[in-house]
Amino acid sequence: MRRVLGLPDWAVYAVVVGGLLIFSLVRRENADAPPAPAPPDEMEGALLGPVTPFDPSVTVHAPDTPFQPASGTAFSIARDGRWVTARHVVEGCRRPALVVGGGRAVAADVRLAPRADVAVLITQGGPPALPVAASAPLRRGQRAFHPGFPQGRPGEVASRLLGRETLKVTGRGARDEPVLAWAEVGRTAGLNGTLSGLSGAPVLDRQGQVVGVTLAESPRRGRVYTTAPDTFGPAIRGQQQADEVLLDEPITVDNYGLVADSMRRDLRVAQVVCLSV
């Protein structure tokens, strides 16, 4: 082989091999796996099993009295004006409304779920939605965050999943409903006493996905009760498209108060009230 521009043979071979290597790398198919998800929380345990007749139960008495106006929490699940709250927050209310700030409230129509403590509120347009993951697998010990309006004021709670229970409601609206029990592990600084008003708040996982609706509390036991996937999913089926985006960063025990404040400012989480007729 002749020398090119006075280069030795080995240099020519090196240039040719290097060019072939670069060409092959450029043309190579990129089939790398996406980044791994965040590692599970160190306290997370086994996957939550299905409903069974052996689940423990908790009894709640609903007085058979006329409806008394109260406030609760709702969250947006569709930008075209679909919100979710707890059924007992608005059941019996003739004019439920969502507080939008500045002393103003927007009236909403109501659709009550027949077999769950869930209601869908309908308005003409709404804010960005929270992504719903009604069928996401749940693990005992996993964290959840509940942003809303406890005691009628902005506040939030952090919890860990204990397991399934059966909520036995006596009195008005008597029924047995499968629920999830969560241990309260944190709340807004200065928030003492009852969590009344947090009913209807979203139950958010670390990615900001809604996995349920906050329903009730047991202060003496330090527990928060929420819908179970078995009732939550059917109650909101068809209300949200599958393209709602996740939060930019995971929710943690260090930032959940700031995330909750942002959701309330954007009205993705709003207060529900009953307007006088």
Side-chain angles (χ1 to χ4, degrees):
M1 178 180 291
R2 292 182 300 172
R3 296 174 181 268
V4 179
L5 298 178
L7 295 176
D9 292 346
W10 64 267
V12 175
Y13 285 123
V15 170
V16 173
V17 172
L20 292 174
L21 179 61
I22 293 174
F23 179 78
S24 65
L25 291 175
V26 171
R27 295 294 301 276
R28 186 183 65 178
E29 179 182 3
N30 184 7
D32 294 339
D41 193 288
E42 60 184 9
M43 291 185 65
E44 288 188 9
L47 284 170
L48 190 69
V51 176
T52 74
F54 307 104
D55 293 335
S57 64
V58 57
T59 301
V60 174
H61 179 68
D64 191 12
T65 58
F67 175 79
Q68 297 294 323
S71 66
T73 302
F75 56 94
S76 172
I77 61 168
R79 190 184 291 267
D80 61 353
R82 295 292 189 275
W83 311 71
V84 169
T85 188
R87 174 174 176 153
H88 71 265
V89 170
V90 295
E91 189 172 19
C93 175
R94 295 185 181 181
R95 294 186 63 197
L98 296 155
V99 178
V100 296
R104 297 178 297 123
V106 176
D109 294 328
V110 180
R111 301 290 184 271
L112 302 177
R115 297 181 179 84
D117 192 353
V118 175
V120 175
L121 306 180
I122 304 173
T123 60
Q124 293 186 356
L130 294 176
V132 174
S135 59
L138 301 175
R139 291 184 177 274
R140 297 178 187 273
Q142 78 172 67
R143 293 189 190 276
F145 305 93
H146 313 250
F149 294 86
Q151 302 178 24
R153 302 192 300 271
E156 51 278 331
V157 166
S159 65
R160 282 192 180 275
L161 180 58
L162 296 174
R164 291 183 178 275
E165 292 193 17
T166 299
L167 191 67
K168 293 183 175 294
V169 180
T170 62
R172 179 167 53 88
R175 68 188 184 280
D176 290 354
E177 180 177 342
V179 295
L180 300 184
W182 305 73
E184 180 186 330
V185 296
R187 59 168 62 189
T188 305
L191 175 61
N192 300 311
T194 179
L195 296 177
S196 174
L198 196 64
S199 292
V203 184
L204 302 174
D205 66 11
R206 290 177 299 172
Q207 284 72 46
Q209 300 177 117
V210 181
V211 297
V213 182
T214 307
L215 301 180
E217 65 167 328
S218 176
R220 289 185 298 177
R221 304 175 72 188
R223 293 188 179 182
V224 176
Y225 297 99
T226 73
T227 55
D230 318 78
T231 55
F232 178 49
I236 63 165
R237 183 172 293 130
Q239 298 290 341
Q240 183 179 86
Q241 302 297 323
D243 57 354
E244 299 296 342
V245 298
L246 300 178
L247 298 180
D248 293 334
E249 60 178 336
I251 308 178
T252 69
V253 292
D254 297 318
N255 71 3
Y256 75 96
L258 295 175
V259 173
D261 287 339
S262 175
M263 290 179 176
R264 285 186 288 259
R265 282 196 302 269
D266 296 342
L267 290 179
R268 287 181 289 175
V269 174
Q271 188 176 19
V272 182
V273 295
C274 185
L275 301 177
S276 58
V277 178

